[in-house]
Amino acid sequence: MDELYMKQALMLAAQGLGRTSPNPVVGAVIVADGSIVGQGWHQAAGTPHAEVHALAQAGRLARNATLYVTLEPCCHHGRTGPCTDAIIAAGVKRVVVAMTDPNPLVRGKGIQKLRQHGLEVLEGVCAAEAAQLNEVFIKWIATGLPFGVLKTAITLDGKIATYTGHSKWITSERSREYVHGLRNMYDAILVGIGTVLADDPSLTTRLPGGGKNPIRVIVDSKGRIPLEAKLLCDCEAPVIIAVGPEASAEKLAALQAKGAEVLTLPLVAGRGVSLRHLFVELGQRNITSILVEGGAEVNASVLAENVVDKVHWFIAPKIIGGKTAPGPVGGLGLSDMAQATVLEDMQVKNIGKDILLTAYMQRREGRDVYRTCGRIGNSEGHS
């Protein structure tokens, strides 16, 4: 029954995906006498937390009830008060927590406070599922770096465009709508200047029911972006342009006058702007996740600089051929198969006529942050 109610809390938490940054997504369910009497989820940063919504709905029925929550209740003052205080004041008897909060301000202190006030606390129920749901928050809070997601679309023979550069459209309309769903979920979208010059994209979210537009990040070492580019002429979402030290000061001033934020960053030999430096800068701006929709060179750079955590790889049932038709990852490539980037935890599904492969970068020290949290949640023991 604990797992059943926690899965309901996880479903509630998922409703906050893409809306709570830089906070985690959290769901809460209150059960009394075998019935759900209150539930809620965190809906936006700065608004009441999931536990507060659930307690408000339960009212007096929360006394002696069990609270199921997907993340350890907070015990510190931020933009809202401590959830632990509200839980204690409501008279909740038992709290079931999916996983410990990796935020150093909490990290076990919330659970400790509840126990000190006589509440029974059970940890680790559906911990792995809770950790995956909050993979973005966990990566950012633990490292300061945004969670990097690489999306690309290829034909069956591994091409992202014809030899002339024509690429509209490789995938089906359903796949493209799925990608807009990803834009709706992540904080920022990143492309290279080549994409801007070739397609003049808006980089907005276009879903039937609307959606949240991500911050638009353009990697443009030399500051070549036209001042009349669509994304500089609308007010749909903020624009950040990453340039190198040699970009024209006059052009940068003109870009700033158009409302863009300009970041001057060091260069990496043969690749342009250092994307690791860029991710550090963006993480410091509370940008917790970045969807990379670049071309072959940007894809090569994010992989080479180890800022990708997850990939969404669309494969269309088309063959276009051509020795010079570009593939999804450019750069010099590798000389030895032992150096190849390895993916794991793969899931494959059909999106219309296309195939979507979703996977994570192979576990290695410093990268497997969110899955480590999930394993910790399962192994620290129950009480």
Side-chain angles (χ1 to χ4, degrees), residues 181-256:
L182 295 177
R183 292 182 181 183
N184 180 57
M185 189 168 67
Y186 295 119
D187 288 353
I189 179 172
L190 183 150
V191 302
I193 183 59
T195 296
V196 176
L197 295 177
D199 300 334
D200 193 20
S202 298
L203 303 180
T204 54
T205 298
R206 297 182 293 281
L207 293 170
K212 172 186 68 67
N213 290 323
I215 296 169
R216 297 167 291 184
V217 181
I218 315 302
V219 181
D220 184 12
S221 299
K222 298 179 181 179
R224 295 186 293 151
I225 185 169
L227 294 177
E228 62 274 13
K230 284 181 184 176
L231 53 85
L232 291 175
C233 297
D234 63 35
C235 299
E236 297 295 330
V239 177
I240 298 174
I241 302 175
V243 303
E246 297 180 0
S248 161
E250 182 180 356
K251 180 63 173 292
L252 300 189
L255 291 172
Q256 290 170 331

Side-chain angles (χ1 to χ4, degrees), residues 139 145 276 279 300-309 341 361 364 367:
K139 166 72 183 294
L145 291 173
R276 177 156 287 272
F279 270 57
S301 294
V302 293
L303 290 171
E305 297 194 52
N306 295 323
V307 292
V308 174
D309 298 283
T341 298
M361 310 307 288
R364 61 194 194 207
R367 170 174 271 162

Side-chain angles (χ1 to χ4, degrees), residues 29-33 35-39 54-59 61-62 65-66:
V29 170
I30 298 175
V31 177
D33 298 324
S35 298
I36 294 176
V37 296
Q39 55 187 355
L55 289 169
Q57 190 176 105
L61 296 177
T66 296

